[in-house]
Amino acid sequence: TPPIDPPVFTFLYAFRHFLMLLDILPSSGGWVRGEQKTMKRMTELLALLAVMSYSLMGTGHAAQPGTLLFSDDFDDGADDGWVKAHGDWYVANGLNYLERLTKVLKGDRQAKNGVYRQGDSNLGTKITYIAGARYGDFDATVEAEVLSSQTRERELGMVFRYQDPQNYYHLRWYSGHTQGDDHFQILRYTNGEVVLLTQVDMDYMPSGTKLVFKLSAKGSQLDAKVLAKGKGAASSRWLTVTDSAYSSGFLGLTTYADEGVFDNVRVAG
């Protein structure tokens, strides 16, 4: 029998006393019955609930916060930490006129809210990646928004463990040429040949859709989530798959056939 983890033991011990206070289990002095629930007793219940909740925080497989390796909110107006492999990438102000005016009236005279914009909506994959750092195991998040596209086909996403334009992993929300061809996917490119590793159906991605991508790569385990808010967008989707083709590489952003913006890139490991 495997040993009980300390958080689990703490939970079970606290839960037993919680049941005793609710008149369900016998205490050492016999059954606790008919007591009027005084303020002291309610305080004990609340304290035990807090202990139980805290103990459960140590169980399960939720990723613990790691060391922050990289972050960029683009508010400094610079993109010198990025390599533009393909596309028209530049830092822009993400506030419209009314948003900037509101901030100014509240005393923020700079009213900055930088975003990283890709302004080429022609066909083709546009990629930019973080300069200098090759990431192996990491957790990353990025916010994104699709602005416009000349066709129904479009995508937003991330590249990771990127070696070169022919070899990398690709996380994307993709909307295809026809209705129903809309997916959240993890792809692998090897010598330019694409392999679909996993996918789940999504809603169509109209202009104005705002997204949050969450990506975790630990060894061969690849996990991803997208949270979507916008016109007709599904709320969230998850992906998980194992693949060992690439153990480390660059981490970046990507669009296809659309203009898009990215913000608040964070990488921890």
Side-chain angles (χ1 to χ4, degrees):
T1 303
I4 299 177
D5 290 334
V8 177
F9 178 82
T10 302
F11 171 79
L12 294 175
Y13 181 81
F15 186 64
R16 177 180 182 274
H17 285 270
F18 176 72
L19 294 180
M20 288 169 54
L21 288 168
L22 290 180
D23 302 340
I24 297 175
L25 287 180
S27 65
S28 58
W31 287 97
V32 181
R33 290 183 182 143
E35 294 182 7
Q36 184 178 4
K37 289 182 174 61
T38 63
M39 184 63 69
K40 178 180 177 181
R41 193 174 185 194
M42 294 303 296
T43 302
E44 291 174 337
L45 286 171
L46 292 173
L48 283 170
L49 283 172
V51 171
M52 292 157 59
S53 299
Y54 178 80
S55 66
L56 284 179
M57 289 173 63
T59 66
H61 302 283
Q64 298 299 311
T67 302
L68 184 63
L69 304 176
F70 177 88
S71 67
D72 200 343
D73 60 12
F74 305 103
D75 284 352
D76 61 0
D79 60 359
D80 49 2
W82 294 82
V83 176
K84 305 169 187 177
H86 190 264
D88 180 22
W89 296 90
Y90 59 94
V91 178
N93 196 316
L95 299 176
N96 61 36
Y97 173 77
L98 289 178
E99 290 170 331
R100 288 197 299 272
L101 179 60
T102 299
K103 284 203 167 190
V104 169
L105 291 174
K106 289 182 177 180
D108 182 1
R109 296 190 177 278
Q110 298 298 320
K112 291 182 178 179
N113 182 34
V115 294
Y116 204 21
R117 179 165 181 161
Q118 197 296 114
D120 183 355
S121 62
N122 293 317
L123 294 179
T125 300
K126 317 301 191 302
I127 294 175
T128 183
Y129 59 87
I130 300 167
R134 297 176 66 90
Y135 300 104
D137 292 354
F138 66 87
D139 295 291
T141 62
V142 60
E143 299 172 11
E145 180 180 355
V146 58
L147 297 182
S148 63
S149 177
Q150 300 180 28
T151 67
R152 187 187 191 280
E153 186 180 26
R154 59 188 66 183
E155 71 176 51
L156 285 178
M158 305 172 69
V159 295
F160 62 104
R161 294 182 176 174
Y162 179 92
Q163 313 299 308
D164 55 54
Q166 303 295 312
N167 299 276
Y168 57 92
Y169 290 116
H170 187 182
L171 172 69
R172 68 177 186 175
W173 184 1
Y174 172 77
S175 287
H177 289 292
T178 59
Q179 184 175 356
D181 186 16
D182 307 296
H183 309 285
F184 184 41
Q185 302 173 322
I186 296 179
L187 311 172
R188 185 187 71 232
Y189 284 81
T190 304
N191 297 325
E193 297 294 325
V194 61
V195 175
L196 174 62
L197 297 180
T198 185
Q199 72 174 12
V200 64
D201 291 343
M202 291 289 292
D203 286 352
Y204 171 63
M205 180 171 56
S207 299
T209 302
K210 295 183 179 181
L211 314 168
V212 178
F213 290 104
K214 297 187 177 184
L215 173 62
S216 175
K218 305 292 176 64
S220 62
Q221 185 69 38
L222 312 176
D223 300 304
K225 182 177 183 178
V226 61
L227 309 174
K229 297 179 180 179
K231 305 168 185 176
S235 58
S236 60
R237 292 290 189 275
W238 295 264
L239 294 173
T240 183
V241 69
T242 58
D243 192 85
S244 57
Y246 308 120
S247 60
S248 67
F250 297 107
L251 177 66
L253 313 171
T254 180
T255 73
Y256 178 89
D258 58 0
E259 296 184 37
V261 295
F262 298 85
D263 200 4
N264 297 320
V265 181
R266 294 176 59 86
V267 185

